[in-house]
Amino acid sequence: MSGTKRALFLDWGGTLAQTRDNRTVVDATGNPVLMPNVAETLARERPRFDSCFIVSNQARIGRGEITAAEVRRRFAWANERLGRPFTDWRLCPHGDDDRCACRKPRPGMFLELAKLHDVDLAASTHVGDSDRDRDGAANAGLATFVRARDFFGWPP
Ligand SMILES: [Zn+2]
């Protein structure tokens, strides 16, 4: 059964937060460094959607390089920093070999959030920086995928 709400799904690394060597860049206080134009763009675009989510592959958790709690703390920090645009968030702690249902390009995180929050996936948008994100959006039945550089207006 399809939900009713239009949602904006956002990737984390390379989309909302800066990464280097596939790790989130943190500042001297241990908090994430956000990508350019994120605050301004979300302030403008968020009202066009009923709900907004972070969906993030976090294979470093499965490798023991960071805890799920720390990743969630960073998401919560960004939510406060940006004026609470996010309705909820999901992370996938697995690697490719785990064959889970949630690691993008699999649609598990989108489907779980849609069920929980009454989301109409076909009317929703995913913003991400990788082909995994694009394919995850397609596999979840989203009509729209937007490259992060286009959504946030980064120079080429
Ligand atoms: Zn997973």
Side-chain angles (χ1 to χ4, degrees), residues 54-117:
I54 303 170
V55 285
S56 175
N57 284 352
Q58 291 281 338
R60 291 182 60 227
I61 295 170
R63 296 198 296 267
E65 297 171 12
I66 191 169
T67 65
E70 172 59 13
V71 174
R72 291 197 182 93
R73 186 197 69 79
R74 293 174 179 185
F75 292 172
W77 176 89
N79 195 34
E80 295 302 319
R81 168 76 179 71
L82 293 167
R84 302 191 184 184
F86 306 123
T87 311
D88 201 349
W89 44 74
R90 285 293 180 278
L91 58 83
C92 163
H94 308 108
D96 284 328
D97 293 342
D98 293 323
R99 307 196 177 283
C100 65
C102 43
R103 182 169 168 79
K104 288 182 280 183
R106 294 209 173 89
M109 292 189 282
F110 297 92
L111 300 182
E112 185 183 339
L113 287 164
K115 189 173 179 184
L116 194 59
H117 295 284

Side-chain angles (χ1 to χ4, degrees), residues 24-25 33 45 72 87-88 97 109 131 134-135 146 154:
T24 298
V25 175
V33 177
E45 297 295 326
R72 291 197 182 93
T87 311
D88 201 349
D97 293 342
M109 292 189 282
D131 291 348
R134 179 200 63 200
D135 295 346
V146 182
W154 300 330

Side-chain angles (χ1 to χ4, degrees), residues 15-81:
T15 298
L16 290 171
Q18 289 188 28
T19 57
R20 189 182 305 130
D21 302 329
N22 213 26
R23 297 168 173 232
T24 298
V25 175
V26 295
D27 64 17
T29 62
N31 290 317
V33 177
L34 297 177
M35 294 293 281
N37 304 341
V38 163
E40 303 89 318
T41 305
L42 278 187
R44 188 184 69 235
E45 297 295 326
R46 175 65 179 85
R48 299 178 52 235
F49 297 88
D50 299 311
S51 46
C52 181
F53 307 101
I54 303 170
V55 285
S56 175
N57 284 352
Q58 291 281 338
R60 291 182 60 227
I61 295 170
R63 296 198 296 267
E65 297 171 12
I66 191 169
T67 65
E70 172 59 13
V71 174
R72 291 197 182 93
R73 186 197 69 79
R74 293 174 179 185
F75 292 172
W77 176 89
N79 195 34
E80 295 302 319
R81 168 76 179 71

